[in-house]
Amino acid sequence: MSWTRDSLIDAARKAAGGAYAPYSNFHVGAALGFADGSVVTGANVENASYGLTLCAETVAVGKVLSENWRGKLEAVAVIGGKAGAVGAGDPVTPCGRCRQMLNEVAALGGSDPVVWCASEDSVTELHLSDLLPHAFGPASLD
């Protein structure tokens, strides 16, 4: 594994710098760490039709799945905040949709990744199963 908790949080922070958030001015970055040491990042992408907005975690999951990557997801780092102040305030957690999207990738690798929700002052550490108990996933369709 070539990433650490801090390097994954830094990757998420860097990804947040690429957010397209002209409506909320709230930038979020996510970094997904895999067992082979690879890291995939994403930033939120807003749309004037708000319902079409993509969260950072969803962008990262889309990259993973569209590139046919099927590794073991071990960790997720998420950080957000107003432009120029990413990480200020309380840590942000993945929304419900993102929890479900992350669950899909985790199920492919048979994992329950740790999720680090970061701010400048603290890191909340949870497992995906804590954020999405009794998840509906690929096995639910069997």
Side-chain angles (χ1 to χ4, degrees), residues 16-135:
Y20 176 71
Y23 308 106
S24 71
N25 199 34
F26 196 84
H27 292 211
V28 180
L32 283 56
F34 290 88
D36 71 353
S38 61
V39 174
V40 177
T41 61
N44 57 315
V45 178
E46 293 182 349
N47 189 280
S49 176
Y50 295 132
L52 299 179
T53 293
L54 299 174
C55 299
E57 302 91 331
T58 299
V59 169
V61 166
K63 288 165 84 174
V64 166
L65 296 177
S66 68
E67 294 173 6
N68 203 30
W69 204 95
R70 304 290 188 267
K72 182 178 180 184
L73 178 62
E74 291 191 337
V76 176
V78 180
I79 191 166
K82 292 291 183 181
V86 170
D90 293 331
V92 296
T93 62
C95 72
R97 174 180 160 192
C98 289
R99 294 172 191 199
Q100 185 65 42
M101 295 293 288
L102 291 167
N103 182 68
E104 186 82 10
V105 175
L108 291 173
S111 65
D112 184 16
V114 63
V115 180
W116 293 308
C117 307
S119 72
E120 290 295 336
D121 302 324
S122 66
V123 177
T124 300
E125 181 176 311
L126 301 158
H127 279 271
L128 183 57
S129 62
D130 297 324
L131 289 167
L132 188 65
H134 313 290

